[in-house]
Amino acid sequence: MAESDGQERTEEATPRRREQAREKGQVPRSRELASIAVLVAGAVGLMWFGEAIGRGLGEVMTRLFSLTRDEIFDLSQLFNLIVVAVGNVLFPLFTFLLFVYVAAFVGATGLGGIRFSSQAAAPKLSKLNPINGFKRMVGKQSLVELIKSILKVLLVVGVAFFLLKASLTDFYQLSREMYPQNITHALDILLNFILLISCSLLVVVAIDIPFQIWQHNEQLKMTKQEVKDEFKDSEGKPEVKGRIRMLQREMAQRRMMADVPQADVVITNPEHFSVALRYDSKIDSAPVVVAKGTDFLALKIREIANEHDIEIVPAPPLARALYHTTELEQQIPDGLFAAVAQVLAYIYQLKQYQKGRGRKPTLSKEASNLPNEFHY
């Protein structure tokens, strides 16, 4: 197994490594698929278009060997004659070549897809190194190519022998047939031989494609250190990540401050903690924390609350409990329902008093009596 800096390549290639390889034109390819696709398409194309091509060539030969004296000495007539004669064979020949070209394109791109890479097309001096060339001659790839060549020879010889043996009756029949039936019959036999022998080589393709995929994956394997280095590169430098996290916190804080005016009450420590609560019975099944903070953030929350006439209630145990147990845009825990309900009831009574209804309320001591698990 290949080694890099003393480490074995045991790790599967990461998606980034595979994408980089594709950008360099390093994708699995099967030359067997491309060549055999051309062979099969050529045999099928001759079966489909061969008669038209042969007929056109026959007409060309017949016409060009039966020229009159006037046609021979008149260059304009001779030129027109050649154009018409060649035109009879051009269309079927072009159709056949197009069919083979499409097969070659599909065979070449069937494994690995279509990739255009300037890096792959750039000349490499390492390919001119005789030492590297010798390594390729005696390497694993050369051994596989040798095995495939032997297999192809055995397949061709075996299938050809079987077809010859199975077609002995047709060969005897050729000697009894008259011209041109015997020529047509012989061409049919020959085309069938070519097609069947070409199709037999699909066995080589069935072996080569999985091998090329496996070999490509093996070449892309990475060492443990390469995986770690790539992870560091993809994640970025620590100072960059720290800067990103700081910007994310600032954006979150700005959004949080924009939500403070929606609060119904701000519960404070009264200096170190501030928690803004919203409770709308139409959309909330329980009070929701819309903003929270300590020290400077706590001061800013109180400033915004004062600007929007939001009541600020000092309840140190409750403020600390809400800050440590509830995230933004989350409902308060069940254990704090009773305490928060006392605060909301106090706010409601205070608003009624400010409107001249009832007497001035006082905050119940139950707002500070919390279950033991909520003491911070």
Side-chain angles (χ1 to χ4, degrees), residues 190-296:
L190 180 60
L191 287 177
N192 287 328
F193 275 28
I194 295 174
L195 178 60
L196 292 175
I197 292 174
S198 300
C199 289
S200 67
L201 294 175
L202 292 175
V203 176
V204 180
V205 176
I207 297 174
D208 186 56
I209 289 178
F211 172 76
Q212 295 298 336
I213 295 174
W214 172 82
Q215 185 182 50
H216 178 70
N217 292 334
E218 287 294 311
Q219 292 173 348
L220 293 183
K221 278 189 174 181
M222 309 168 66
T223 64
K224 295 182 184 296
Q225 186 60 41
E226 287 175 337
V227 175
K228 293 179 182 178
D229 293 341
E230 182 179 298
F231 178 76
K232 290 179 181 179
D233 292 339
S234 62
E235 289 295 314
K237 296 182 179 179
E239 54 270 23
V240 176
K241 292 190 290 184
R243 177 63 177 171
I244 292 175
R245 284 196 294 268
M246 183 183 70
L247 293 175
Q248 290 174 340
R249 284 195 299 269
E250 291 178 356
M251 292 174 62
Q253 290 173 5
R254 286 195 291 270
R255 290 195 300 268
M256 181 179 69
M257 292 304 177
D259 291 337
V260 172
Q262 302 175 8
D264 295 303
V265 63
V266 174
I267 302 175
T268 65
N269 193 32
E271 295 181 357
H272 298 293
F273 292 87
S274 292
V275 180
L277 297 178
R278 181 197 72 216
Y279 179 64
D280 187 345
S281 58
K282 297 180 180 178
I283 60 174
D284 301 322
S285 57
V288 175
V289 173
V290 295
K292 67 176 185 176
T294 60
D295 299 329
F296 177 74

Side-chain angles (χ1 to χ4, degrees), residues 59-174:
E59 293 176 356
V60 170
M61 297 294 291
T62 301
R63 187 67 183 89
L64 293 180
F65 278 101
S66 60
L67 296 176
T68 64
R69 184 177 182 280
D70 294 336
E71 290 173 339
I72 294 175
F73 289 99
D74 189 344
L75 293 179
S76 61
Q77 290 189 30
L78 184 61
F79 178 77
N80 293 333
L81 179 63
I82 294 174
V83 171
V84 173
V86 173
N88 292 332
V89 74
L90 193 60
F91 178 75
L93 182 61
F94 173 79
T95 306
F96 168 75
L97 294 176
L98 179 62
F99 180 74
V100 174
Y101 171 79
V102 172
F105 179 80
V106 173
T109 60
L111 181 64
I114 302 174
R115 287 286 166 181
F116 298 98
S117 174
S118 58
Q119 298 183 37
K124 297 180 181 178
L125 296 178
S126 60
K127 293 184 178 180
L128 301 178
N129 190 336
I131 298 177
N132 293 337
F134 179 76
K135 290 181 180 179
R136 288 193 295 267
M137 290 175 60
V138 298
K140 183 189 299 182
Q141 181 67 27
S142 299
L143 178 61
V144 172
E145 293 298 328
L146 176 61
I147 294 174
K148 288 194 297 184
S149 299
I150 294 174
L151 179 59
K152 286 190 286 187
V153 171
L154 293 176
L155 275 174
V156 171
V157 172
V159 174
F161 178 78
F162 173 79
L163 292 175
L164 288 172
K165 186 176 180 181
S167 303
L168 289 177
T169 304
D170 291 328
F171 294 152
Y172 295 146
Q173 186 67 26
L174 289 176

Side-chain angles (χ1 to χ4, degrees), residues 32-45 100 103 194-195 197-199 201:
E32 305 300 332
L33 176 61
S35 59
I36 293 174
V38 172
L39 286 175
V40 174
V44 174
V100 174
I194 295 174
L195 178 60
I197 292 174
S198 300
C199 289
L201 294 175

